[in-house]
Amino acid sequence: MPRPIKKRVKKKESETEVEVKDKLSELKNQLRERRRTVMAYGIAAGVAVIVIAGVFYYRYSSEEKSRLAESEAYSYYYGENLRQPMANKQEQTQKALVLFKKAYDYKNSPRLLLYIANSNYELGRFDDAISSLNEFFRKYPSDQELTPLAYKMMANAQLQKGDKEGALKTLNTLYASPGAIYKDFALMESARILEGEGKTAEAAAKYRELAAKFKSSPYYAEAESKLSGKKEDQGAVTP
């Protein structure tokens, strides 16, 4: 009598079901982890967007406040503010200085620093002017457009303080700086300082260089007059 065949279908189905359930469970876990990851990235991205938006808003706000303060400062500096006219130029310059500083606090700018320095200069605060100019040289050493003007202002402030030696060094630096702007000024002011100290030979060399290199300069006639022996303003220098 043949042996009965045992049915294994249910067992196979049971193993398959278990295997499927395990895979489903694993898939669910993976999906759960992915969802957590996505949520984490989403939160991080959201925070980043908020931070970036805040930075841009702060920058825009600061730039706008700086622009408004600077615009108002110009109106006082050039005497064009009709809403609050000042009694005299000194009051206008003082008000402009306060606004230039306010604008600079909102947004640093080499241009604003020069206006701050020049406002202090016009108010007779030469130490403050020099301090602002030193900050300019420290923060914006590569600004070739404004640097010559800063050196010119520095030399004038030093001369007002009676620091002729410092002024000569500044003028020499100005003359050696890139570009051609104010080089004739550097030569003329150096010559005047040297002549005033009795260093006529050194002064004559400066006049001679100015007359040779800057024939279209507004200082050319004075330099030629000094070299030709004609007395003009400060007297003659023999070449």
Side-chain angles (χ1 to χ4, degrees):
M1 184 175 180
R3 296 174 61 186
I5 300 173
K6 295 182 179 180
K7 294 182 179 180
R8 300 179 180 271
V9 176
K10 288 185 178 180
K11 186 176 181 182
K12 287 182 179 180
E13 287 179 354
S14 178
E15 290 177 352
T16 301
E17 288 176 359
V18 171
E19 185 177 351
V20 170
K21 287 180 179 179
D22 289 342
K23 288 183 177 181
L24 286 173
S25 178
E26 183 180 352
L27 181 60
K28 286 180 180 178
N29 290 333
Q30 290 177 355
L31 290 174
R32 190 179 294 111
E33 289 299 320
R34 288 183 182 179
R35 185 176 63 180
R36 289 175 181 171
T37 302
V38 170
M39 287 179 65
Y41 278 119
I43 293 171
V47 171
V49 168
I50 292 172
V51 171
I52 292 172
V55 169
F56 275 108
Y57 176 77
Y58 174 78
R59 286 182 179 175
Y60 171 79
S61 178
S62 296
E63 289 178 1
E64 183 64 13
K65 289 177 181 178
S66 178
R67 186 187 66 79
L68 292 173
E70 182 178 359
S71 178
E72 190 176 2
Y74 290 142
S75 71
Y76 284 106
Y77 186 83
Y78 293 107
E80 298 171 352
N81 192 302
L82 301 179
R83 292 181 305 160
Q84 296 180 343
M86 296 292 170
N88 53 57
K89 176 60 176 174
Q90 187 172 18
E91 287 187 13
Q92 291 177 0
T93 304
Q94 176 58 43
K95 181 64 176 179
L97 175 60
V98 171
L99 289 166
F100 280 132
K101 286 182 176 180
K102 184 177 180 181
Y104 185 75
D105 288 340
Y106 283 129
K107 187 176 186 296
N108 288 181
S109 160
R111 181 185 63 257
L112 287 170
L113 261 183
L114 290 189
Y115 271 102
I116 290 170
N118 203 50
S119 296
N120 277 314
Y121 180 89
E122 291 185 10
L123 291 168
R125 301 169 186 170
F126 304 120
D127 286 329
D128 291 336
I130 290 172
S131 177
S132 295
L133 291 168
N134 281 328
E135 183 177 352
F136 173 91
F137 294 132
R138 185 173 65 254
K139 286 188 174 182
Y140 309 103
S142 60
D143 192 326
Q144 294 185 10
E145 182 179 358
L146 296 178
T147 293
L149 178 57
Y151 281 128
K152 183 176 184 289
M153 292 170 60
M154 175 69 86
N156 285 333
Q158 289 169 323
L159 285 173
Q160 288 292 335
K161 285 179 52 102
D163 183 9
K164 294 181 179 180
E165 183 179 353
L168 277 173
K169 289 180 180 178
T170 300
L171 291 167
N172 287 335
T173 303
L174 170 57
Y175 187 75
S177 64
I181 188 170
Y182 297 132
K183 289 187 181 296
D184 56 340
F185 167 84
L187 287 171
M188 177 54 71
E189 285 300 315
S190 295
R192 288 170 177 169
I193 294 171
L194 292 167
E195 186 177 3
E197 294 182 338
K199 300 176 181 178
T200 56
E202 293 179 51
K206 298 289 184 182
Y207 287 131
R208 191 178 300 110
E209 186 172 1
L210 194 161
K213 294 183 177 179
F214 301 96
K215 296 186 182 301
S216 60
S217 168
Y219 305 114
Y220 175 79
E222 183 179 347
E224 279 285 284
S225 176
K226 296 290 185 179
L227 292 171
S228 65
K230 294 178 181 179
K231 291 186 177 181
E232 183 175 317
D233 295 333
Q234 298 179 359
V237 173
T238 304

